[in-house]
Amino acid sequence: MAQPKKILITGPVPPPAGGISIHISRLQYLLKDNFAIDFIDESSLQKPGIFNLRSYNFFLYIKKMLGADLVYVQSGSTYLRLIQLFFAKLLFKKIILTIHAYPFNKKGVAYFLDNSIFNFANKIIVVNESILTRLSLPPQKCAIKIAFLPPVMELEPALPNNISDIILSAKNDGAKIICGNASRLDFYNNEDLYGVDMCIEVSKYFKQQSVKHIFIFIVSSLDDGKTTFEKYVNQIKAEGLENSFFLLNTRLSFVRLIEEADVIVRPTNTDGDAITIREVLYLHKPILASDAVARPEGTLLFKNRNVDDFKNKLLNIISQSNTSITDKQRNDNDDKSFYINIINSVLKN
């Protein structure tokens, strides 16, 4: 019996959870029966048994590259993406690249370098057409495929007791449960990328209007964001929102939180193809997101960085007695076939 081909995936492996790391985890589960999957982990948290770049073990890095039949680059950082592509090409490896996001304003030498090194890949997957139009890549190498893969619900852990208690108390009080998340607290155009500041403003307004609600906003990692997190925690206390706004740095199953929520918010001022939105639609819950980028069909929109529009749209949603929505039916087998076919075609050519 032939040994399965070895696929080496480079990128952040959860925990902490983020859009790319969740995609990688679910992709590994999808392909585990067809290929031998290994990782070069780029996340800030090192895990036992998984090679992490931060170990700085160059010998083991090269050994893993050499042992792979195909290197699948999923790096979120442009810098790491270029490094992985460079070494995979240097070692004559078959390469697939997924580009999860790409800046609107990149130009000059950096833009030329990206396109040149991206072209090292045998196949390039982009998560939306917008990214493809911003790059200059050979069309025959490219495919468009959203990053979302359905959650494997039987593998999703239960919510922590402290969060379950918050939710139960809110439901008993007749409060609406509003949830949001961020992989970490970043800024874009000198604004809070994930819109935590807007959520706090809305919660303050709801409290003034006696709207029963709680916000649960999960931040997976405090890398470079600890000061911002502490600033928001202090603001929540100063506004007297401790019992209605829960800003939590924790790791949990966000899809389990979606199941308990009345509405999910995505007030980002830029985005890729947000897995959170796809998860919410898949689980038939309402999602209110900014119109900063094109959103999937079924997403409810508000004007980007417009707090008044955000609070009015959100108030309208939670005032409705039935907040569930219906997503188009998915055939999950299509996802598996897509990735298996692309991997096999690159391995054969």
Side-chain angles (χ1 to χ4, degrees):
M1 183 177 177
Q3 291 294 313
K5 294 293 185 180
K6 297 178 181 178
I7 310 300
L8 180 64
I9 300 176
T10 77
V13 177
I20 299 175
S21 65
I22 290 171
H23 170 82
I24 288 174
S25 176
R26 292 177 187 170
L27 182 64
Q28 183 271 340
Y29 183 85
L30 202 67
L31 301 177
K32 64 183 176 63
D33 294 330
N34 300 87
F35 303 101
I37 308 293
D38 197 8
F39 301 101
I40 292 177
D41 183 14
E42 299 172 0
S43 77
S44 58
L45 181 66
Q46 299 188 40
K47 300 106 189 167
I50 299 178
F51 174 70
N52 189 294
L53 273 182
R54 295 167 195 260
S55 69
Y56 303 109
N57 188 332
F58 185 69
F59 174 78
L60 185 53
Y61 174 83
I62 294 298
K63 183 179 179 181
K64 283 189 174 290
M65 282 273 185
L66 286 171
D69 294 299
L70 183 146
V71 177
Y72 194 156
V73 178
Q74 298 252 12
S75 308
S77 158
T78 299
Y79 175 69
L80 291 177
R81 189 187 295 149
L82 297 181
I83 287 176
Q84 309 287 25
L85 287 166
F86 175 79
F87 278 104
K89 185 70 173 178
L90 185 68
L91 298 172
F92 302 100
K93 292 294 153 182
K94 304 279 189 178
I95 306 169
I96 296 175
L97 166 66
T98 289
I99 303 173
H100 290 270
Y102 194 79
F104 284 91
N105 54 358
K106 201 171 233 189
K107 297 177 183 177
V109 174
Y111 178 78
F112 173 79
L113 185 65
D114 284 351
N115 282 280
S116 300
I117 298 184
F118 290 173
N119 199 32
F120 287 174
N122 302 91
K123 194 71 179 180
I124 302 166
I125 301 168
V126 296
V127 299
N128 58 47
E129 190 172 356
S130 174
I131 293 173
L132 195 58
T133 60
R134 297 201 295 274
L135 291 164
S136 298
L137 298 169
Q140 69 275 13
K141 279 192 175 185
C142 297
I144 300 172
K145 173 71 172 170
I146 63 171
F148 173 75
L149 292 171
V152 185
M153 297 306 294
E154 59 266 30
L155 300 181
E156 295 288 337
L159 290 172
N161 289 336
N162 64 318
I163 294 179
S164 294
D165 290 344
I166 291 170
I167 291 170
L168 181 60
S169 176
K171 288 183 175 181
N172 289 339
D173 191 40
K176 294 294 184 179
I177 299 164
I178 306 161
C179 298
N181 67 340
S183 54
R184 63 186 201 177
L185 296 177
D186 284 336
F187 283 80
Y188 180 76
N189 286 340
N190 295 317
E191 297 170 328
D192 183 330
L193 192 157
Y194 287 96
V196 181
D197 58 337
M198 298 179 67
C199 293
I200 294 172
E201 284 300 312
V202 170
S203 185
K204 178 183 174 181
Y205 172 78
F206 282 0
K207 182 183 177 184
Q208 291 169 347
Q209 300 300 313
S210 300
V211 177
K212 287 188 175 182
H213 76 287
I214 62 165
F215 263 93
I216 300 176
F217 203 106
I218 304 297
V219 181
S220 299
S221 171
L222 292 186
D223 286 353
D224 302 321
K226 188 174 181 180
T227 301
T228 304
F229 184 87
E230 290 173 350
K231 182 190 79 172
Y232 285 146
V233 168
N234 291 332
Q235 182 183 350
I236 289 164
K237 290 179 180 177
E239 301 287 359
L241 300 174
E242 302 100 315
N243 295 322
S244 54
F245 200 105
F246 300 90
L247 181 64
L248 304 172
N249 169 225
T250 187
R251 299 182 182 118
L252 50 69
S253 166
F254 196 70
V255 292
R256 292 294 185 199
L257 195 55
I258 291 170
E259 286 184 313
E260 299 293 340
D262 292 295
V263 59
I264 309 297
V265 295
R266 183 80 178 176
T268 55
N269 67 353
T270 188
D271 225 332
D273 186 72
I275 286 180
T276 292
I277 292 181
R278 302 281 181 183
E279 287 178 334
V280 176
L281 294 173
Y282 183 78
L283 294 171
H284 312 299
K285 291 294 182 86
I287 172 80
L288 178 63
S290 68
D291 63 359
V293 296
R295 302 295 193 179
E297 183 182 349
T299 309
L300 305 170
L301 300 176
F302 72 92
K303 295 176 184 176
N304 183 36
R305 296 300 303 175
N306 187 316
V307 175
D308 287 336
D309 195 42
F310 182 35
K311 70 186 181 188
N312 290 335
K313 296 282 179 62
L314 186 54
L315 185 58
N316 183 57
I317 293 168
I318 64 175
S319 298
Q320 298 175 23
S321 57
N322 181 9
T323 57
S324 67
I325 60 174
T326 302
D327 185 26
K328 293 183 295 184
Q329 292 295 312
R330 288 176 52 87
N331 184 345
D332 298 345
N333 289 327
D334 290 347
D335 295 319
K336 186 170 185 175
S337 297
F338 173 86
Y339 287 105
I340 288 175
N341 289 340
I342 276 191
I343 290 170
N344 284 335
S345 69
V346 171
L347 286 170
K348 290 175 182 176
N349 294 328

